[in-house]
Amino acid sequence: MSNLWTISEDPFDARHPHHKETIFTIGNGYLSTRGAFEEGYPHDRRATFMHGVFDAAPIVFTELANAPDWLPFTVWLNGKRFSLDSGVVEAFQRALDLRTGVLTRVVRWRSPSGDTATITFERFLGRNDLNLPIYDPTTGGCRDGLHPDRPNENQGAESTLAFLQALLELRLAENTLQSMEARSQ
């Protein structure tokens, strides 16, 4: 029996990317981010919206205003930039777990020069008491914490290093699990 709480895509289908970006949108009640690929894709419609904030431009209909894009992430494999529109996608799976709100994508990719890698992306929009982001995608820093009414704007070395250390630990755990899975096959 399939998992009714998971929306999945396997294999990659380049024919309907905008539809899939909509289907794989994640949100937390205050922000939502379309399911566009972190590394980008030709003609993608990447966007993050803040609920209740509308565009004041004189248009035919009112729409949510775009917030800063926090997704861009570039992956290089031996000097070649990872992109689904170059090289060969050998395996692809994308899944949105509706119970946890986690969007995961695993791609086995062969670069135009023949190098291969399995790349895993995981995305989640969490919440805190103020429903405000602590990570700043513009600076790559992490704010020091929350005041009762706002984030602490300081992005001290300790907070940023703690964030980066946590991110590194997550990546190491993912790599360890992937290695264990590969050895068991």
Side-chain angles (χ1 to χ4, degrees):
M1 180 175 173
S2 66
N3 183 344
L4 298 177
W5 286 98
T6 302
I7 299 170
S8 59
E9 176 186 17
D10 181 1
F12 175 61
D13 180 2
R15 293 176 298 166
H16 307 288
H18 301 139
H19 172 72
K20 296 295 174 79
E21 288 174 10
T22 301
I23 297 297
F24 290 99
T25 294
I26 60 171
N28 65 10
Y30 295 89
L31 293 171
S32 61
T33 298
R34 287 178 55 81
F37 300 136
E38 288 84 352
E39 71 279 3
Y41 193 76
H43 312 293
D44 62 2
R45 294 183 183 161
R46 52 194 317 119
T48 295
F49 302 106
M50 295 172 53
H51 302 178
V53 178
F54 297 93
D55 199 342
I59 54 178
V60 177
F61 55 89
T62 303
E63 63 180 29
L64 291 170
N66 285 314
D69 185 9
W70 60 280
L71 289 182
F73 190 80
T74 304
V75 177
W76 296 89
L77 179 60
N78 293 330
K80 301 295 181 192
R81 186 174 187 268
F82 166 66
S83 177
L84 292 177
D85 66 327
S86 69
V88 176
V89 178
E90 295 180 345
F92 177 95
Q93 183 177 25
R94 177 165 47 169
L96 173 57
D97 185 329
L98 297 174
R99 290 169 299 181
T100 63
V102 175
L103 175 61
T104 304
R105 180 168 56 112
V106 180
V107 181
R108 177 136 180 94
W109 180 71
R110 184 168 17 106
S111 73
S113 60
D115 296 308
T116 60
T118 299
I119 305 166
T120 301
F121 297 91
E122 194 167 79
R123 191 183 309 174
F124 172 75
L125 276 177
R127 284 174 39 175
N128 55 46
D129 290 343
L130 299 177
N131 301 305
L132 296 171
I134 298 299
Y135 171 70
D136 184 342
T138 306
T139 66
C142 185
R143 292 183 175 87
D144 285 351
L146 295 173
H147 293 290
D149 61 339
R150 68 191 186 289
N152 180 333
E153 293 301 321
N154 185 36
Q155 294 183 21
E158 293 156 351
S159 296
T160 298
L161 289 172
F163 168 76
L164 292 173
Q165 181 67 36
L167 188 61
L168 177 62
E169 291 294 330
L170 287 171
R171 299 292 188 254
L172 288 173
E174 287 175 351
N175 289 340
T176 301
L177 287 173
Q178 286 178 353
S179 295
M180 291 170 55
E181 289 173 357
R183 279 182 270 194
S184 68
Q185 293 178 357

PDB file of all heavy atoms in Angstrom, residues 97-113:
ATOM      1  N   ASP A  97       6.559  15.007   2.358  1.00  0.00           N
ATOM      2  CA  ASP A  97       5.881  14.324   3.451  1.00  0.00           C
ATOM      3  C   ASP A  97       4.910  15.316   4.088  1.00  0.00           C
ATOM      4  O   ASP A  97       5.325  16.275   4.736  1.00  0.00           O
ATOM      5  CB  ASP A  97       6.895  13.821   4.479  1.00  0.00           C
ATOM      6  CG  ASP A  97       6.270  12.993   5.577  1.00  0.00           C
ATOM      7  OD1 ASP A  97       5.098  13.231   5.935  1.00  0.00           O
ATOM      8  OD2 ASP A  97       6.965  12.101   6.094  1.00  0.00           O
ATOM      9  N   LEU A  98       3.622  15.094   3.906  1.00  0.00           N
ATOM     10  CA  LEU A  98       2.612  16.029   4.390  1.00  0.00           C
ATOM     11  C   LEU A  98       2.466  15.995   5.908  1.00  0.00           C
ATOM     12  O   LEU A  98       1.927  16.932   6.491  1.00  0.00           O
ATOM     13  CB  LEU A  98       1.266  15.733   3.724  1.00  0.00           C
ATOM     14  CG  LEU A  98       1.262  15.910   2.202  1.00  0.00           C
ATOM     15  CD1 LEU A  98      -0.066  15.445   1.620  1.00  0.00           C
ATOM     16  CD2 LEU A  98       1.554  17.343   1.820  1.00  0.00           C
ATOM     17  N   ARG A  99       2.942  14.951   6.573  1.00  0.00           N
ATOM     18  CA  ARG A  99       2.890  14.902   8.038  1.00  0.00           C
ATOM     19  C   ARG A  99       3.937  15.819   8.652  1.00  0.00           C
ATOM     20  O   ARG A  99       3.687  16.486   9.640  1.00  0.00           O
ATOM     21  CB  ARG A  99       3.104  13.475   8.543  1.00  0.00           C
ATOM     22  CG  ARG A  99       1.944  12.546   8.229  1.00  0.00           C
ATOM     23  CD  ARG A  99       2.338  11.145   8.510  1.00  0.00           C
ATOM     24  NE  ARG A  99       3.484  10.866   7.621  1.00  0.00           N
ATOM     25  CZ  ARG A  99       4.106   9.725   7.547  1.00  0.00           C
ATOM     26  NH1 ARG A  99       3.764   8.731   8.296  1.00  0.00           N
ATOM     27  NH2 ARG A  99       5.102   9.550   6.712  1.00  0.00           N
ATOM     28  N   THR A 100       5.138  15.848   8.063  1.00  0.00           N
ATOM     29  CA  THR A 100       6.240  16.617   8.646  1.00  0.00           C
ATOM     30  C   THR A 100       6.506  17.932   7.919  1.00  0.00           C
ATOM     31  O   THR A 100       7.177  18.798   8.454  1.00  0.00           O
ATOM     32  CB  THR A 100       7.541  15.790   8.623  1.00  0.00           C
ATOM     33  OG1 THR A 100       7.896  15.524   7.255  1.00  0.00           O
ATOM     34  CG2 THR A 100       7.383  14.492   9.389  1.00  0.00           C
ATOM     35  N   GLY A 101       6.022  18.061   6.680  1.00  0.00           N
ATOM     36  CA  GLY A 101       6.290  19.258   5.890  1.00  0.00           C
ATOM     37  C   GLY A 101       7.675  19.276   5.274  1.00  0.00           C
ATOM     38  O   GLY A 101       8.131  20.311   4.807  1.00  0.00           O
ATOM     39  N   VAL A 102       8.354  18.138   5.244  1.00  0.00           N
ATOM     40  CA  VAL A 102       9.714  18.067   4.701  1.00  0.00           C
ATOM     41  C   VAL A 102       9.662  17.660   3.232  1.00  0.00           C
ATOM     42  O   VAL A 102       9.009  16.677   2.868  1.00  0.00           O
ATOM     43  CB  VAL A 102      10.577  17.063   5.495  1.00  0.00           C
ATOM     44  CG1 VAL A 102      11.948  16.892   4.847  1.00  0.00           C
ATOM     45  CG2 VAL A 102      10.731  17.528   6.935  1.00  0.00           C
ATOM     46  N   LEU A 103      10.340  18.444   2.399  1.00  0.00           N
ATOM     47  CA  LEU A 103      10.466  18.152   0.975  1.00  0.00           C
ATOM     48  C   LEU A 103      11.879  17.626   0.740  1.00  0.00           C
ATOM     49  O   LEU A 103      12.861  18.285   1.088  1.00  0.00           O
ATOM     50  CB  LEU A 103      10.233  19.422   0.141  1.00  0.00           C
ATOM     51  CG  LEU A 103      10.451  19.313  -1.368  1.00  0.00           C
ATOM     52  CD1 LEU A 103       9.504  18.290  -1.987  1.00  0.00           C
ATOM     53  CD2 LEU A 103      10.289  20.679  -2.021  1.00  0.00           C
ATOM     54  N   THR A 104      11.975  16.431   0.176  1.00  0.00           N
ATOM     55  CA  THR A 104      13.273  15.793  -0.065  1.00  0.00           C
ATOM     56  C   THR A 104      13.395  15.468  -1.546  1.00  0.00           C
ATOM     57  O   THR A 104      12.436  15.020  -2.173  1.00  0.00           O
ATOM     58  CB  THR A 104      13.398  14.488   0.749  1.00  0.00           C
ATOM     59  OG1 THR A 104      13.190  14.781   2.125  1.00  0.00           O
ATOM     60  CG2 THR A 104      14.774  13.864   0.572  1.00  0.00           C
ATOM     61  N   ARG A 105      14.593  15.697  -2.083  1.00  0.00           N
ATOM     62  CA  ARG A 105      14.864  15.357  -3.485  1.00  0.00           C
ATOM     63  C   ARG A 105      16.222  14.667  -3.551  1.00  0.00           C
ATOM     64  O   ARG A 105      17.203  15.157  -2.996  1.00  0.00           O
ATOM     65  CB  ARG A 105      14.868  16.620  -4.344  1.00  0.00           C
ATOM     66  CG  ARG A 105      15.133  16.369  -5.809  1.00  0.00           C
ATOM     67  CD  ARG A 105      14.841  17.610  -6.636  1.00  0.00           C
ATOM     68  NE  ARG A 105      15.586  18.765  -6.202  1.00  0.00           N
ATOM     69  CZ  ARG A 105      16.570  19.354  -6.911  1.00  0.00           C
ATOM     70  NH1 ARG A 105      16.896  18.876  -8.097  1.00  0.00           N
ATOM     71  NH2 ARG A 105      17.186  20.407  -6.447  1.00  0.00           N
ATOM     72  N   VAL A 106      16.261  13.519  -4.209  1.00  0.00           N
ATOM     73  CA  VAL A 106      17.509  12.769  -4.382  1.00  0.00           C
ATOM     74  C   VAL A 106      17.719  12.582  -5.880  1.00  0.00           C
ATOM     75  O   VAL A 106      16.837  12.075  -6.574  1.00  0.00           O
ATOM     76  CB  VAL A 106      17.458  11.400  -3.674  1.00  0.00           C
ATOM     77  CG1 VAL A 106      18.769  10.642  -3.870  1.00  0.00           C
ATOM     78  CG2 VAL A 106      17.152  11.565  -2.194  1.00  0.00           C
ATOM     79  N   VAL A 107      18.892  13.007  -6.360  1.00  0.00           N
ATOM     80  CA  VAL A 107      19.203  12.940  -7.784  1.00  0.00           C
ATOM     81  C   VAL A 107      20.539  12.234  -7.966  1.00  0.00           C
ATOM     82  O   VAL A 107      21.528  12.576  -7.310  1.00  0.00           O
ATOM     83  CB  VAL A 107      19.311  14.356  -8.402  1.00  0.00           C
ATOM     84  CG1 VAL A 107      19.620  14.273  -9.890  1.00  0.00           C
ATOM     85  CG2 VAL A 107      18.056  15.165  -8.159  1.00  0.00           C
ATOM     86  N   ARG A 108      20.550  11.225  -8.833  1.00  0.00           N
ATOM     87  CA  ARG A 108      21.827  10.644  -9.266  1.00  0.00           C
ATOM     88  C   ARG A 108      22.076  11.249 -10.636  1.00  0.00           C
ATOM     89  O   ARG A 108      21.278  11.080 -11.565  1.00  0.00           O
ATOM     90  CB  ARG A 108      21.755   9.131  -9.343  1.00  0.00           C
ATOM     91  CG  ARG A 108      23.053   8.534  -9.853  1.00  0.00           C
ATOM     92  CD  ARG A 108      23.467   7.329  -9.030  1.00  0.00           C
ATOM     93  NE  ARG A 108      24.701   6.761  -9.517  1.00  0.00           N
ATOM     94  CZ  ARG A 108      25.900   7.070  -9.040  1.00  0.00           C
ATOM     95  NH1 ARG A 108      26.008   7.935  -8.049  1.00  0.00           N
ATOM     96  NH2 ARG A 108      26.983   6.517  -9.513  1.00  0.00           N
ATOM     97  N   TRP A 109      23.214  11.980 -10.735  1.00  0.00           N
ATOM     98  CA  TRP A 109      23.489  12.788 -11.926  1.00  0.00           C
ATOM     99  C   TRP A 109      24.870  12.462 -12.474  1.00  0.00           C
ATOM    100  O   TRP A 109      25.838  12.309 -11.712  1.00  0.00           O
ATOM    101  CB  TRP A 109      23.403  14.258 -11.539  1.00  0.00           C
ATOM    102  CG  TRP A 109      23.656  15.253 -12.628  1.00  0.00           C
ATOM    103  CD1 TRP A 109      22.846  15.542 -13.684  1.00  0.00           C
ATOM    104  CD2 TRP A 109      24.789  16.113 -12.747  1.00  0.00           C
ATOM    105  NE1 TRP A 109      23.396  16.535 -14.447  1.00  0.00           N
ATOM    106  CE2 TRP A 109      24.598  16.908 -13.890  1.00  0.00           C
ATOM    107  CE3 TRP A 109      25.940  16.294 -11.996  1.00  0.00           C
ATOM    108  CZ2 TRP A 109      25.514  17.862 -14.314  1.00  0.00           C
ATOM    109  CZ3 TRP A 109      26.860  17.253 -12.403  1.00  0.00           C
ATOM    110  CH2 TRP A 109      26.640  18.020 -13.550  1.00  0.00           C
ATOM    111  N   ARG A 110      24.950  12.366 -13.808  1.00  0.00           N
ATOM    112  CA  ARG A 110      26.230  12.201 -14.489  1.00  0.00           C
ATOM    113  C   ARG A 110      26.508  13.478 -15.258  1.00  0.00           C
ATOM    114  O   ARG A 110      25.709  13.907 -16.096  1.00  0.00           O
ATOM    115  CB  ARG A 110      26.197  10.997 -15.436  1.00  0.00           C
ATOM    116  CG  ARG A 110      27.553  10.735 -16.087  1.00  0.00           C
ATOM    117  CD  ARG A 110      27.670   9.398 -16.803  1.00  0.00           C
ATOM    118  NE  ARG A 110      26.436   8.739 -17.115  1.00  0.00           N
ATOM    119  CZ  ARG A 110      25.909   8.663 -18.341  1.00  0.00           C
ATOM    120  NH1 ARG A 110      26.508   9.216 -19.375  1.00  0.00           N
ATOM    121  NH2 ARG A 110      24.767   8.019 -18.545  1.00  0.00           N
ATOM    122  N   SER A 111      27.625  14.101 -14.951  1.00  0.00           N
ATOM    123  CA  SER A 111      27.980  15.376 -15.579  1.00  0.00           C
ATOM    124  C   SER A 111      28.328  15.159 -17.044  1.00  0.00           C
ATOM    125  O   SER A 111      28.583  14.021 -17.465  1.00  0.00           O
ATOM    126  CB  SER A 111      29.169  16.007 -14.849  1.00  0.00           C
ATOM    127  OG  SER A 111      30.363  15.297 -15.157  1.00  0.00           O
ATOM    128  N   PRO A 112      28.370  16.238 -17.836  1.00  0.00           N
ATOM    129  CA  PRO A 112      28.747  16.098 -19.243  1.00  0.00           C
ATOM    130  C   PRO A 112      30.132  15.470 -19.424  1.00  0.00           C
ATOM    131  O   PRO A 112      30.402  14.855 -20.458  1.00  0.00           O
ATOM    132  CB  PRO A 112      28.729  17.549 -19.757  1.00  0.00           C
ATOM    133  CG  PRO A 112      27.741  18.244 -18.879  1.00  0.00           C
ATOM    134  CD  PRO A 112      27.920  17.604 -17.520  1.00  0.00           C
ATOM    135  N   SER A 113      31.007  15.582 -18.398  1.00  0.00           N
ATOM    136  CA  SER A 113      32.334  14.976 -18.505  1.00  0.00           C
ATOM    137  C   SER A 113      32.376  13.545 -17.977  1.00  0.00           C
ATOM    138  O   SER A 113      33.436  12.926 -17.968  1.00  0.00           O
ATOM    139  CB  SER A 113      33.369  15.848 -17.778  1.00  0.00           C
ATOM    140  OG  SER A 113      33.031  15.968 -16.417  1.00  0.00           O
TER     141      SER A 113
END
